[in-house]
Amino acid sequence: MDCKLNESISWVGHVDWTIRDFHGYNTSRGSTYNAYLIQDESPTLVDTVKAAFAPELIRKLSALGELSSIRYLVCNHAEPDHSGSLPRLVQACPHAEVVCNEKCRTALGLHYDTAHWKFRIVKDGETLRIGKRTLQFIDTPMVHWPESMFTYVPEDRLLFSMDAFGQHVASSFRFDDQNDLDMVLEEAKTYYANIVMLYAQPIRRTLERAASLPIDMVAPSHGVIWRTHFGKILAAYKDWVLGRSKPKVLIVYDTMWQSTERLAQTILEGAQESNVDARVLNARTSSLTEIATESLDAAVFAFGSPTLNQTLMPQMAAVLSYLKGLKPSGKSGFAFGSYGWAKGAATEIELSLKSMNFEMLRPALTCQFKPGPDTLEEAREAGRMMARKALSVATQ
Ligand code: FEO
């Protein structure tokens, strides 16, 4: 495995091949926690790994002969997937200072017993000379936590970008050009949709700041390092932060006795009469992770649920709750679903969509028990309308 970014900088992280649930995120391709050792006059470790993998990180640093000489432990982000090994590292590196901003010091103090840690607090834009190199620290609040920052090395034109541009991917290959690029970009999209979509505006400001930096390589804290195709992920981020949608229709439903499913399929058929990317997902057979990812670039939505106990079915409630937290913007849609002797589901869905500032395209499409021919024709027409809307949004 090639672990050298250049002659002086090594990847010393952990590849987590078997993780499939990252605080609820379905990590079907595993993950990595990237840490980087800069071997200069003042050896510096940039970020750590989850606590469970601290012994491996310490072994790697020992093999490079740097453990006792490490001078700085840079903490770009206090979330435990990156800071979890800091308590062990602070013990193992008696001469090291933890380099972070003030908010990060506070956050670390709430996670760990930091009473005896030596801190070097850095401000936004501050630099730290470590020998031939300079580290420049750039605050990136809410990318992904309030204390997050980037570390930039001008001499190497290298940006340690923390969660930004990351992907949950386990691989034996560290660099973008050694992996299947389509797979990496798909995982970067999944990461963006599920972790940072709600922080689009802070990310936009961060991208604007980072645009002035000469960059040859971007080393995030998860997944592959961008050394050849950074332009591709940067272009994708620019679309995502602007909330740009594709001519894409997404229908998400749950069903009890296949009536709402029949409506979903008929809406799909109506949308497919036009040249749009129309997709349908069952809320109980697709993960929240997948639904959020498909939502990122979809323009128009239909959410369907039968009425159960005068409200919507639980998994559809979970879908809407999850999406609401991710704050999708510029979307439109409507609710649909069957009911028996009492209504409720469609109204609940409409309330959720309105709370997410969706443009409501039409009143809820409902039927009692089974959809008859008139309702199915109404569903087909609703699908056609979704397609027209998706095409109009995508050309704006
Ligand atoms: Fe990968 Fe926000 O931590």
Side-chain angles (χ1 to χ4, degrees):
M1 181 158 50
D2 181 5
C3 294
K4 299 286 274 186
L5 279 67
N6 60 31
E7 74 284 352
S8 303
I9 302 179
S10 300
W11 175 88
V12 288
H14 174 77
V15 179
D16 197 346
W17 290 96
T18 57
I19 188 169
R20 291 293 179 270
D21 185 332
F22 187 98
H23 60 49
Y25 180 135
N26 177 14
T27 46
S28 59
R29 288 193 171 96
S31 191
T32 55
Y33 318 109
N34 294 334
Y36 303 94
L37 176 68
I38 307 173
Q39 292 174 291
D40 207 318
E41 288 167 29
S42 297
T44 298
L45 180 69
V46 178
D47 293 311
T48 73
V49 296
K50 275 187 175 177
F53 309 117
E56 178 190 337
L57 173 57
I58 288 171
R59 267 198 310 278
K60 284 177 174 162
L61 294 171
S62 299
L64 291 166
E66 292 294 7
L67 196 54
S68 60
S69 62
I70 287 179
R71 182 77 179 83
Y72 299 116
L73 300 168
V74 174
C75 181
N76 282 320
H77 182 19
E79 193 163 12
D81 48 335
H82 309 298
S83 70
S85 294
L86 265 180
R88 295 285 302 276
L89 265 294
V90 168
Q91 281 184 342
C93 307
H95 308 298
E97 292 177 317
V98 175
V99 180
C100 65
N101 61 33
E102 189 61 58
K103 281 184 191 164
C104 189
R105 172 161 66 176
T106 302
L108 291 172
L110 294 168
H111 280 85
Y112 316 109
D113 178 3
T114 59
H116 301 293
W117 293 17
K118 294 187 289 258
F119 281 99
R120 178 180 284 246
I121 301 304
V122 291
K123 292 196 169 73
D124 181 41
E126 194 171 327
T127 57
L128 174 64
R129 194 82 192 161
I130 60 169
K132 294 185 188 124
R133 290 173 179 75
T134 314
L135 305 184
Q136 183 180 351
F137 306 103
I138 302 163
D139 284 348
T140 60
M142 303 319 295
V143 187
H144 141 240
W145 277 11
E147 86 304 342
S148 300
M149 68 179 190
F150 288 172
T151 297
Y152 177 63
V153 189
E155 293 82 1
D156 296 298
R157 297 163 66 102
L158 167 62
L159 182 68
F160 294 107
S161 65
M162 184 33 46
D163 281 341
F165 312 117
Q167 338 90 47
H168 282 309
V169 171
S171 170
S172 292
F173 302 104
R174 301 274 61 80
F175 296 97
D176 54 353
D177 49 37
Q178 298 171 314
N179 287 275
D180 176 342
L181 185 61
D182 287 342
M183 178 276 289
V184 172
L185 289 169
E186 183 61 31
E187 289 299 334
K189 178 183 174 186
T190 303
Y191 189 92
Y192 181 93
N194 285 274
I195 301 283
V196 291
M197 185 185 347
L198 68 163
Y199 304 124
Q201 291 318 309
I203 294 171
R204 189 175 174 177
R205 288 191 287 274
T206 297
L207 293 181
E208 285 166 2
R209 285 194 70 189
S212 62
L213 302 174
I215 291 176
D216 287 340
M217 196 180 296
V218 173
S221 292
H222 296 287
V224 305
I225 298 160
W226 302 94
R227 69 177 178 189
T228 301
H229 300 294
F230 180 61
K232 290 210 164 125
I233 185 65
L234 183 62
Y237 261 65
K238 285 179 178 169
D239 277 350
W240 296 334
V241 298
L242 292 173
R244 282 199 181 117
S245 299
K246 293 182 174 168
K248 177 174 167 183
V249 161
L250 186 63
I251 301 152
V252 186
Y253 73 97
D254 201 345
T255 196
M256 204 183 304
W257 293 105
Q258 283 63 59
S259 293
T260 303
E261 183 169 62
R262 182 93 192 274
L263 289 173
Q265 293 294 343
T266 308
I267 293 167
L268 176 72
E269 288 167 13
Q272 286 174 328
E273 291 176 16
S274 299
N275 189 27
V276 295
D277 179 0
R279 303 185 186 201
V280 64
L281 296 174
N282 182 315
R284 269 188 288 152
T285 57
S286 297
S287 67
L288 294 175
T289 307
E290 180 183 1
I291 293 169
T293 305
E294 292 292 351
S295 299
L296 178 62
D297 55 6
V300 186
F301 296 72
F303 292 97
S305 170
T307 292
L308 173 70
N309 301 331
Q310 299 183 42
T311 186
L312 65 172
M313 288 184 73
Q315 196 53 31
M316 182 52 68
V319 167
L320 293 168
S321 170
Y322 190 59
L323 287 181
K324 184 176 178 182
L326 292 170
K327 295 188 169 44
S329 66
K331 309 295 189 187
S332 57
F334 64 91
F336 66 98
S338 64
Y339 61 91
W341 53 96
K343 296 183 179 181
T347 305
E348 290 288 332
I349 293 172
E350 284 187 321
L351 285 172
S352 279
L353 299 187
K354 286 174 185 169
S355 74
M356 289 189 270
N357 297 316
F358 271 53
E359 178 190 350
M360 301 304 292
L361 290 182
R362 53 156 293 150
L365 173 58
T366 61
C367 67
Q368 188 168 24
F369 288 120
K370 294 280 178 193
D374 290 349
T375 308
L376 290 174
E377 183 47 38
E378 194 181 348
R380 194 176 302 277
E381 182 52 36
R384 294 179 188 123
M385 178 190 59
M386 290 176 82
R388 288 194 296 274
K389 179 70 178 177
L391 289 166
S392 73
V393 169
T395 53
Q396 282 171 10

